[in-house]
Amino acid sequence: MECLLFAAVVIAAAIALGISQANAKEKARIAYDNALTQLRQHPTDPAKRIAALSRGRIYSNLSRNQKGVALYDEVAIQNDIGAATAGAVHQVPQTPAPSPAVPSVSPADRLEKLDDLRTRGLISEDEYQNQRARILADL
């Protein structure tokens, strides 16, 4: 009789322990899901990334009966984090692109070019005089 009572107590303890581990695993899964949700909302926040990684490892460990986190689990966690942060625009300081250098043309060169255009008949005498006046006014 004592043997049966002892066996019943052992079985009840094992069941309770199993339920306790199942509850802990479920709580860890919920915490991990919540951390991933937070990370999706703030994908560039390093603290949210670390929290998701930590909670993922806790959940993974409980899923493996507290025998540690396997490499497979690490890759799965990183994939989850990558999916949560996909499309995030990470702010990288940008230096402005250098503007193309505008070659500096001297007024003498401009006047020479203008005279060449007039000589070839590409501009009229009035256009030549107007442009020449503008070039000289810029001096």
Side-chain angles (χ1 to χ4, degrees):
M1 183 76 163
E2 282 181 38
C3 217
L4 287 175
L5 184 57
F6 179 73
V9 170
V10 168
I11 291 171
I15 291 172
L17 183 61
I19 291 172
S20 174
Q21 285 179 345
N23 286 341
K25 181 180 169 185
E26 182 60 17
K27 286 180 183 178
R29 185 193 62 75
I30 291 169
Y32 180 46
D33 287 344
N34 288 340
L36 288 172
T37 299
Q38 288 291 314
L39 183 60
R40 277 186 209 94
Q41 294 170 354
H42 306 281
T44 59
D45 186 344
K48 303 281 188 215
R49 181 184 279 282
I50 291 169
L53 179 61
S54 174
R55 285 171 180 77
R57 287 176 176 163
I58 291 168
Y59 173 60
S60 177
N61 184 40
L62 288 171
S63 295
R64 295 195 175 275
N65 296 320
Q66 298 182 356
K67 293 182 181 176
V69 179
L71 178 61
Y72 173 83
D73 299 321
E74 282 290 330
V75 171
I77 293 167
Q78 289 300 329
N79 287 342
D80 289 347
I81 290 172
T85 59
V89 177
H90 296 283
Q91 298 298 324
V92 177
Q94 297 285 331
T95 56
S99 58
V102 177
S104 176
V105 180
S106 72
D109 289 340
R110 292 174 64 198
L111 288 169
E112 187 178 314
K113 176 72 174 171
L114 187 61
D115 186 50
D116 180 52
L117 292 172
R118 181 183 62 164
T119 303
R120 293 173 42 200
L122 298 174
I123 60 172
S124 69
E125 183 64 31
D126 285 341
E127 291 171 317
Y128 170 79
Q129 291 300 329
N130 288 335
Q131 288 298 322
R132 183 176 182 274
R134 290 175 82 189
I135 293 170
L136 293 175
D138 289 342
L139 294 177

